[in-house]
Amino acid sequence: MVLANKKSIIQQANELLEQSIIYYQNRPVGTVAATDSERDALNYDQCFIRDFVPAALVFLIQGKTDILHNFFMETVVLQKQERRIDCYQAPPGLMPASFKVESGEVEQYLHADFGDKAIGRVTPIDSCLWWIILLRAYVKATDDISIAHRPDFQEALKFILNICLGPQFEMTPTLLVPDGACMIDRRMGVDGYPLEIQALFYAALRSARELLITDTEGKNTIARINNRLSSFVFHMRYYYWLDLKKLNEIHRYQGDQFGESVVNKFNIYPESIPYWITEWMPDRGGYLAGNLGPGRMDFRFFSLGNLMAIISSLTTDHESHEILNLIEERWDSLIGKMPMKICFPAVEGLAWQIITGSDPKNTPWSYHNGGSWPILLWMLMAAAQKMERAEIGERAVAIAETRLMDDRWPEYYDGKNGRLVGKSARMFQTWTIAGWLLAKLLRDNPRCLKFICFEQDTEADACTI
Ligand code: GLC
């Protein structure tokens, strides 16, 4: 009975994924974000680059590489499209947040959104980072690097790297971005140096290093990447890391220190430690903070950034195990009845007003503000499996399986423990379906983990102080 039921979930998930495919000139090029016929499509009928990632990885594991090939051939062209907001011409390099097939009088064309149409005009910085990470996965899966070595792809990589590695008004190696530049694409206090972007930046730099042709120009770019990676890794592992020991140190920090070798470099005042963390931080475990800047440490736990840090080996093996320990120790808060919380805890009251701009979609324990997103399941599985602790992923998948199909594959869930289907959640959300399917496929095909995982880096010199 149980077996029959499971089979039908897999069948349904595969069928729904198939139905989500977008065709352009009769070729599959991507997947729509959701196929919910009960709601106004808004832009959910478009192919979002970040949403396509889990679907694409499923296709890769299933050997359906055509759709990825077509996706790359189209997006590499879109990257060069003009993007204008009012009269401002934004620089090339960014990949669109999403694109859609439109029909003209004679033929079809692709219409892209670089944030110039998006709600709040958010800049989709994660798109170009995911694009590189996915290109590397494609190369690994097909064992064929020729697409990445095409001149137009090398140019696309360089456009992105030029924006990321170019000169900036910055004294830290992290990437400075505006609010809502990633999966959390609304105002949520994720401006500055949010963990999600940093983890994707790291994985994208490591992917690009594998994809660049090693001619003179390529070698120079690789040297720039290595230079950035060594200081970046140190910065993230050292300054972002939070556990009970570190919390004790911050609790006794001196403020307003001037000079090169001070302890409290970012001037984090102990008074800024939120009360919840003093109880929530377990004895065993730790994680990377959500954000770090002048006088600012965001103590919230952000799942995508922490899981991608494990997957990409941004964290040391010890830290990766500690993050998984924390997930085990705080299972009810982070996994609850639906894996997994996008961030913990929610911001409430005055903080909600100030941080979200009183966003009615991001009320406490809903949507981006402490809602639960099944898409994160595949990252949990990959991270757990990489650290040889697959049972964590399996437990989570088993919880999700009890509800996802009956609930019609919602985009997200609400409530402190994820028991409610999201207030405004779309049904038949493609990355919910693909995320669950991918978690199962990774579990059954551990050799495919290498499409997305990275070993500890031995190429970039470790930075020491
Ligand atoms: C919402 C999510 C975003 C996602 C999009 C399409 O805007 O915040 O991360 O890409 O929906 O599913």
Side-chain angles (χ1 to χ4, degrees), residues 202 206 209-210 222 226-227 229-230 233 237 312-315 317 454-463:
Y202 179 72
R206 290 199 55 181
R209 199 172 64 183
E210 292 178 27
I222 291 173
N226 281 337
N227 185 32
L229 282 180
S230 61
V233 167
R237 290 180 177 179
S312 64
S313 287
L314 169 58
T315 37
D317 285 349
F454 295 78
E455 296 301 321
Q456 291 292 332
D457 189 12
T458 48
E459 238 179 277
D461 291 333
C463 162

Side-chain angles (χ1 to χ4, degrees), residues 10-68:
I10 291 191
Q11 249 167 14
Q12 191 190 61
N14 272 311
E15 278 166 24
L16 289 168
L17 189 58
E18 191 68 30
Q19 286 162 22
S20 74
I21 294 176
I22 296 179
Y23 289 84
Y24 176 52
Q25 293 167 351
N26 295 323
R27 292 170 311 129
V29 287
T31 49
V32 291
T35 43
D36 186 346
S37 53
E38 288 168 20
R39 279 175 177 265
D40 176 13
L42 277 180
N43 50 356
Y44 282 81
D45 57 355
Q46 307 215 357
C47 175
F48 281 73
I49 291 195
R50 73 173 75 86
D51 293 42
F52 181 59
V53 171
L57 292 171
V58 167
F59 295 138
L60 279 186
I61 296 177
Q62 295 175 336
K64 299 174 186 159
T65 53
D66 274 19
I67 183 166
L68 277 93

Side-chain angles (χ1 to χ4, degrees), residues 90-335:
L94 279 181
M95 281 289 171
S98 60
F99 61 85
K100 182 178 179 173
V101 179
E102 301 274 17
S103 296
E105 273 177 22
V106 194
E107 56 179 22
Q108 291 184 317
Y109 60 95
L110 291 181
H111 194 68
D113 172 25
F114 291 88
D116 47 323
K117 300 164 194 80
I119 298 167
R121 301 293 182 260
V122 280
T123 320
I125 297 177
D126 65 338
S127 288
C128 62
L129 305 175
W130 276 121
W131 190 84
I132 304 182
I133 297 167
L134 190 60
L135 184 59
R136 180 229 185 213
Y138 175 79
V139 166
K140 287 238 166 217
T142 55
D143 234 346
D144 180 5
I145 199 163
S146 56
I147 190 172
H149 281 181
R150 287 169 51 115
D152 46 349
F153 278 68
Q154 290 290 304
E155 186 187 46
L157 289 171
K158 281 171 197 158
F159 270 142
I160 301 170
L161 292 168
N162 278 342
I163 295 201
C164 294
L165 301 175
Q168 43 174 11
F169 284 117
E170 271 311 301
M171 288 304 294
T172 56
T174 32
L175 200 60
L176 177 65
V177 300
D179 215 342
C182 50
M183 175 187 180
I184 299 181
D185 54 358
R186 295 168 89 91
R187 192 174 146 191
M188 258 292 284
V190 288
D191 55 315
Y193 313 86
L195 177 63
E196 173 171 341
I197 288 286
Q198 309 311 323
L200 295 177
F201 178 45
Y202 179 72
L205 286 186
R206 290 199 55 181
S207 302
R209 199 172 64 183
E210 292 178 27
L211 300 172
L212 285 166
I213 293 180
T214 48
D215 55 9
T216 315
E217 201 193 342
K219 278 188 185 147
N220 283 339
T221 312
I222 291 173
R224 282 166 74 203
I225 291 177
N226 281 337
N227 185 32
R228 184 71 168 259
L229 282 180
S230 61
S231 53
F232 180 84
V233 167
F234 172 80
H235 184 91
M236 296 300 299
R237 290 180 177 179
Y238 193 70
Y239 298 119
Y240 274 63
W241 186 251
L242 277 175
D243 56 15
L244 196 58
K245 182 166 169 272
K246 183 71 171 287
L247 213 50
N248 268 293
E249 280 168 27
I250 302 175
H251 181 58
R252 293 170 56 78
Y253 267 172
Q254 303 286 314
D256 301 344
Q257 297 180 311
F258 177 81
E260 271 166 37
S261 56
V262 300
V263 176
N264 185 5
K265 287 208 171 83
F266 296 94
N267 201 29
I268 309 300
Y269 293 113
E271 290 74 7
S272 70
I273 298 177
Y275 178 71
W276 62 265
I277 202 178
T278 61
E279 293 186 342
W280 193 75
M281 180 68 86
D283 291 337
R284 171 178 165 267
Y287 63 98
L288 296 172
N291 213 324
L292 178 71
R296 170 187 188 192
M297 179 170 251
D298 187 339
F299 291 88
R300 283 177 292 173
F301 175 91
F302 285 86
S303 297
L304 195 155
N306 273 287
L307 296 175
M308 280 307 291
I310 299 177
I311 291 170
S312 64
S313 287
L314 169 58
T315 37
T316 62
D317 285 349
H318 173 73
E319 286 172 343
S320 298
H321 276 296
E322 286 288 84
I323 296 171
L324 292 174
N325 290 342
L326 177 116
I327 292 171
E328 280 186 331
E329 295 287 326
R330 292 294 171 259
W331 190 261
D332 289 346
S333 336
L334 298 176
I335 306 292

